Amino acid sequence: MPKLEPKQIQQELEKGLIWPFYWIYGPESLKSKELIKRIKKAIFGSETVDDSTASFSIQSFDASDADVYSILDMAQSPSLLGGIRLILIRDAHLLKSAELLVDLLGPARRLSQLEAVCIAVSKDFDARKKFSKALLEKAAVVACEEIPESQREAWILYLAKRRAVELQPSQVLHLSALDPWSGIS
C-alpha cells in the first residue's frame, strides 16, 4: 500500500474499514490529532476518551521509554471490558526493535474483525528501513505534511467553526500569516 493522505483514511473510516496499524508522521500536528480523533470515533463510536469504557481500552506508550514487547503484549491481550484495544505510540521513530511489530500489520478490515488497532505517531518515515518497507506493504502510512499557505484560511475557518468562534476577515488574515500557525489548535 502506498502512502495515504488523511482524506483517504477518513473515507475508509466512513466505509467502516479500519487498519490494524497506522503509522502517522510529519510536522503537522493538527492533521495528525484530527486523524487520531476520527480513528478513535470509528472504533468507539460516540464514546470519548473521557468515557470510562473507552479509556480502559486505550493504552498509550512513549517510544523513548517503551519496550516493544510491552506494546506487543498489550496488542495481543484482550481488552479489560471486551471490544477493541487501541494502542497509541508517541515518538514512534524512537522505538527500538520496531520490526518485531510486523505481526500486528495487516490490511484494512471491518471493526468486528479486529482485536486491536495501533496508531504510531512519528516525526518522520525512513523508507530505507526493513520495517518501513513492511509498513508500506501491510499498514496505513499517512503523511501529515505542513498545511500550505493557500489552504491556511480554510483550516482556520474550520477550527473557528468547530469551536463556535466567529472571526472577522482581518482576523483570519492575521492568523494565516502567523508562523508557525498550526500550533494554535
Side-chain angles (χ1 to χ4, degrees):
M1 173 60 63
K3 294 180 187 175
L4 301 170
E5 293 292 322
K7 278 189 176 184
Q8 291 172 287
I9 297 298
Q10 183 179 340
Q11 291 169 348
E12 289 177 348
L13 293 172
E14 289 170 0
K15 293 177 185 175
L17 296 174
I18 298 178
W19 290 83
F21 200 99
Y22 292 88
W23 185 275
I24 301 172
Y25 73 96
E28 191 53 65
S29 61
L30 175 61
K31 284 183 181 180
S32 61
K33 287 176 188 175
E34 284 295 312
L35 188 56
I36 292 168
K37 186 188 308 181
R38 289 172 193 242
I39 294 169
K40 284 180 182 177
K41 186 176 179 185
I43 293 170
F44 299 113
S46 61
E47 298 174 12
T48 64
V49 288
D50 296 330
D51 182 11
S52 61
T53 305
S55 64
F56 279 116
S57 299
I58 299 173
Q59 182 66 46
S60 295
F61 292 93
D62 185 339
S64 64
D65 62 352
D67 176 4
V68 72
Y69 294 105
S70 298
I71 296 169
L72 276 170
D73 185 46
M74 190 61 63
Q76 295 170 343
S77 299
S79 175
L80 186 60
L81 298 175
I84 301 291
R85 180 173 298 280
L86 178 63
I87 297 148
L88 298 171
I89 307 166
R90 303 273 179 219
D91 295 325
H93 56 280
L94 300 175
L95 195 60
K96 304 256 190 282
S97 303
E99 62 277 357
L100 295 174
L101 298 176
V102 75
D103 290 340
L104 303 178
L105 309 182
R109 299 177 223 161
R110 298 267 172 222
L111 188 59
S112 60
Q113 298 173 313
L114 295 170
E115 294 177 16
V117 174
C118 291
I119 302 174
V121 181
S122 173
K123 73 173 186 172
D124 60 12
F125 180 75
D126 186 354
R128 300 171 295 172
K129 294 180 180 178
K130 185 177 179 181
F131 180 62
S132 296
K133 291 176 178 154
L135 284 171
L136 285 172
E137 292 173 10
K138 300 178 183 177
V141 178
V142 187
C144 291
E145 302 297 331
E146 282 189 31
I147 297 170
E149 280 190 51
S150 62
Q151 296 176 11
R152 287 182 180 183
E153 183 177 333
W155 274 94
I156 290 167
L157 293 173
Y158 165 75
L159 289 171
K161 181 179 178 183
R162 191 174 80 188
R163 293 188 180 200
V165 174
E166 286 193 38
L167 296 174
Q168 300 299 320
S170 62
Q171 293 171 313
V172 173
L173 183 63
H174 176 73
L175 287 171
S176 64
L178 292 177
D179 196 28
W181 72 278
S182 63
I184 61 175
S185 67

